[in-house]
Amino acid sequence: MRLTAAEERMLDGGDGPARQKAMAGLVQLGRAFGAPRMVEIGYAHIHAGMALYLHDVELIEDLATLGATMAVPSSVNIANADTVNWRATGAPESLARLQQRAAGAQHQMGAACTFTCTPYWAGHWPTWNTHMTSIESTVTIFCNSVLGARSNRDGFFAVYAGITGRYPLFGYHLDENRRGTHLVRVDTPLNSITDYSALGFHVGRIVGEGVPVFEGFTERPSLDALDALGAALATSGGVALFIVPGVTPPYATTAQAFAGPVPESVVDARRADLDAVYDYFCTRDDGVFDIVHVGCPHASFEEMKEYGRLLDGKRIADGMEFWITTSRAVRRMAEEAGIIRTLEASGAKVISDTCPISCHFARTVSPDPKLGVVPPPLRSIVVDSAKQAKYVRDMIRCDTLLTGTAEAIETAITGRFVRHGRAA
Amino acid sequence: MKGPIRGRGIVDGVASGPALIAAEAISFLGDVDINTGEIVGDLPSVHGRSVKGTVLVFPYSRGSAGAWRFLYQLFKHGNHPVAIVSREPPDPSVVQGAILAGIPIVSDIPDAVWGNMQNGEMLSVDGTTGEVKAAE
């Protein structure tokens, strides 16, 4: 791998031990994937340091102790506890305190401690052709597909890229991999944000790690719709990039998206395919559910407004737990707009920094036993996102009921499950 | 195994252990229990076996951006494979977890010699040279 003089200096320790460690890791990653050189990145979305995993917060603290600082604008991914409002979630204080330690280390390194899976709603908005890195697949796919930035689906090394400002040139950083592989024909109107989530889940299962190109939307999808579509594609498949001609930079037409012959075989997305996703995630409907949740990925300000509109003057049913999850930055904006007051007056809980599948509900984690984390017994969670639904099943290991946002909120108000498309 | 086979060294390091050969693709997020090392996912060929201390052999990894964390957690709990051999390069996330945990990886094993490794035999893996051979 060819390195510049500045990169060689980092590798040799001339810029301190943190950059040396980070560059050594990136060089090995580049070698594994045949990268000829590094590229300079403009943005990094990095690992939070997760309190529910043994020695994981320490991974971040160790870098801060080594003197690591972020060379590029950096945001921080979702965490394992609401570091302010943990009591509302039933998390033990020990867990919240450990999670707060990660925030301290992030501040020391100069990362914006957003603790969210949707940093773009908090102002981190990389532009066309910006090389970047992200530990969160939802961020990768949004930045690639909506903003035209260039990102792989990364792991821990996103933090190494942030520390050095470099990333090996491979994968979705190269034009040759940013071309369509499957043509998807959407043959149904999409009536809600959750319909986009169901569409993404359906298509991701078929295209795997391919690049789907979408045709047939009856209107330009909203930013929230594109966010939901991408999150689901990245969950059921390994999709890092989707293309909507006319939306995804720089593709104006389907022909440009394929940069060659358009495939003859077409992936169909009909109403029945979307209904099948809803059915797949409605494992049991016996009127028993413990939590109703909206805000996966973490809600945008527009979604917060929508929740406020749907809950204005309403009351969550007695004994019902209703969670709205969003980033602390969006929460602050919603607070100043008076939306949080409306939501909390209804009985809703607004939770930041985490979400049901990221918090102590998960059973696939491995915290330090000293923290005394005990997952609560949960039977079923109503959600409005296929991503949340999949991981409720896989990580919390309880039943799910997937429905639209309006229907989920009606479920919380009435105490009876309302199926998608059946909102009053 | 007859003679040594050669793939491409992906993650540096040398380690040896008994081969555990999965016929199916593996996802470290979900298929392996961190707390025991046991394979709990839908991999009929190795279901219920432990990856702990093994040279884990699989055709390819199923994509998950979270894979690195689970591989690293296996290491922190002492339940990790000592080396990985794969026919196709594993995901970037798996590679990142292996580098963090110091688990050597050899990939790009030619089809002609893929079947030469036998379950349970002691293998030595060199992630720098790409050589996989019978351990002494």
Side-chain angles (χ1 to χ4, degrees):
Chain A
M1 198 171 178
R2 214 166 56 245
L3 297 182
T4 64
E7 289 155 6
E8 289 283 4
R9 193 174 62 241
M10 286 190 233
L11 191 59
D12 293 342
D15 285 350
R19 292 220 157 98
Q20 183 175 29
K21 183 185 173 80
M23 185 53 80
L26 291 168
V27 166
Q28 203 166 155
L29 180 67
R31 198 191 75 189
F33 291 94
R37 62 180 173 89
M38 298 283 174
V39 289
E40 293 192 25
I41 64 165
Y43 168 55
H45 180 65
I46 66 172
H47 184 51
M50 299 188 95
L52 282 172
Y53 295 89
L54 191 64
H55 199 267
D56 196 87
V57 168
E58 288 85 344
L59 271 178
I60 293 295
E61 286 184 323
D62 290 351
L63 284 172
T65 304
L66 270 185
T69 55
M70 307 314 292
V72 296
S74 304
S75 53
V76 176
N77 201 24
I78 195 163
N80 288 151
D82 186 323
T83 56
V84 177
N85 199 20
W86 72 86
R87 286 187 185 86
T89 69
E93 180 166 350
S94 56
L95 186 72
R97 296 280 175 230
L98 179 57
Q99 196 60 68
Q100 287 168 352
R101 271 174 42 193
Q106 297 288 4
H107 291 144
Q108 199 180 327
M109 294 197 297
C113 196
T114 45
F115 280 155
T116 184
C117 51
T118 55
Y120 28 92
W121 304 144
H124 294 268
W125 198 264
T127 50
W128 181 35
N129 277 338
T130 301
H131 291 283
M132 56 166 280
T133 176
S134 167
I135 192 164
E136 167 58 58
S137 59
T138 293
V139 176
T140 294
I141 196 167
F142 186 89
C143 293
N144 274 333
S145 315
V146 182
L147 308 181
R150 293 168 181 254
S151 179
N152 287 339
R153 288 161 57 104
D154 274 299
F156 185 76
F157 282 23
V159 70
Y160 288 168
I163 290 168
T164 57
R166 301 295 197 282
Y167 186 85
L169 179 61
F170 75 97
Y172 291 90
H173 294 268
L174 293 163
D175 284 340
E176 68 206 55
N177 298 318
R178 300 178 66 86
R179 289 174 182 160
T181 61
H182 296 73
L183 181 61
V184 179
R185 189 158 298 139
V186 181
D187 194 21
T188 174
L190 299 168
N191 302 318
S192 68
I193 298 296
T194 309
D195 272 357
Y196 282 89
S197 184
L199 170 65
F201 200 86
H202 164 64
V203 172
R205 282 205 281 210
I206 296 167
V207 307
E209 298 189 353
V211 178
V213 179
F214 287 87
E215 279 191 344
F217 290 125
T218 52
E219 56 186 359
R220 187 183 172 96
S222 69
L223 289 169
D224 288 324
L226 294 164
D227 187 34
L229 175 63
L233 282 165
T235 297
S236 63
V239 181
L241 166 68
F242 67 86
I243 297 174
V244 181
V247 173
T248 305
Y251 309 102
T253 64
T254 299
Q256 285 174 12
F258 284 99
V262 176
E264 283 173 18
S265 69
V266 172
V267 177
D268 283 311
R270 302 192 175 96
R271 176 48 56 179
D273 299 312
L274 273 52
D275 286 343
V277 174
Y278 285 99
D279 289 346
Y280 178 69
F281 285 121
C282 286
T283 33
R284 195 176 64 175
D285 180 8
D286 54 6
V288 176
F289 37 87
D290 303 285
I291 298 176
V292 179
H293 169 254
V294 298
C296 170
H298 269 175
S300 68
F301 183 72
E302 293 307 305
E303 288 170 327
M304 294 297 280
K305 276 163 56 184
E306 176 72 358
Y307 306 152
R309 192 181 66 72
L310 291 165
L311 281 163
D312 192 12
K314 301 288 189 352
R315 185 74 212 156
I316 302 299
D318 284 344
M320 176 69 61
E321 182 99 346
F322 179 59
W323 281 32
I324 295 166
T325 51
T326 186
S327 67
R328 51 175 64 194
V330 168
R331 185 197 163 98
R332 179 67 185 266
M333 286 189 277
E335 223 160 63
E336 292 177 357
I339 297 167
I340 302 293
R341 202 169 51 236
T342 302
L343 298 174
E344 291 185 340
S346 76
K349 288 182 178 177
V350 182
I351 306 296
S352 293
D353 304 342
T354 192
C355 74
I357 55 173
S358 299
C359 77
H360 64 289
F361 296 170
R363 292 176 177 276
T364 49
V365 296
S366 54
D368 188 331
K370 288 201 297 285
L371 294 175
V373 175
V374 181
L378 296 169
R379 290 159 299 182
S380 181
I381 303 182
V382 176
V383 297
D384 71 343
S385 149
K387 174 177 182 172
Q388 188 77 205
K390 174 170 168 40
Y391 290 118
V392 163
R393 193 182 269 185
D394 291 356
M395 298 182 70
I396 302 180
R397 294 181 180 155
C398 76
D399 288 334
T400 59
L401 291 163
L402 175 65
T403 189
T405 306
E407 291 87 345
I409 289 177
E410 201 179 314
T411 298
I413 292 168
T414 62
R416 286 190 315 276
F417 180 62
V418 182
R419 294 185 76 84
H420 80 280
R422 303 274 173 79
Chain B
M1 159 180 260
K2 296 163 201 150
I5 59 179
R6 189 170 290 272
R8 193 163 66 89
I10 286 206
V11 175
D12 290 342
V14 179
S16 53
L20 177 64
I21 302 177
E24 307 85 5
I26 195 164
S27 165
F28 283 95
L29 196 165
D31 283 345
V32 188
D33 185 332
I34 301 165
N35 291 300
T36 61
E38 190 184 324
I39 295 176
V40 294
D42 186 20
L43 287 81
S45 65
V46 287
H47 187 87
R49 304 287 299 276
S50 172
V51 301
K52 179 177 179 170
T54 65
V55 170
L56 182 60
V57 181
F58 53 76
Y60 59 98
S61 63
R62 278 191 290 119
S64 163
W68 73 272
R69 192 168 68 241
F70 289 82
L71 193 48
Y72 182 69
Q73 283 294 310
L74 281 169
F75 167 67
K76 290 313 289 187
H77 288 81
N79 294 324
H80 58 291
V82 294
I84 289 172
V85 177
S86 64
R87 197 166 61 201
E88 293 169 35
D91 286 278
S93 187
V94 172
V95 172
Q96 293 173 20
I99 295 171
L100 271 181
I103 299 170
I105 300 182
V106 170
S107 169
D108 301 29
I109 304 287
D111 287 347
V113 293
W114 177 249
N116 290 11
M117 292 174 284
Q118 302 298 321
N119 245 325
E121 76 174 319
M122 293 295 289
L123 295 180
S124 171
V125 177
D126 186 329
T128 308
T129 64
E131 189 174 71
V132 179
K133 61 181 182 187
E136 281 150 30

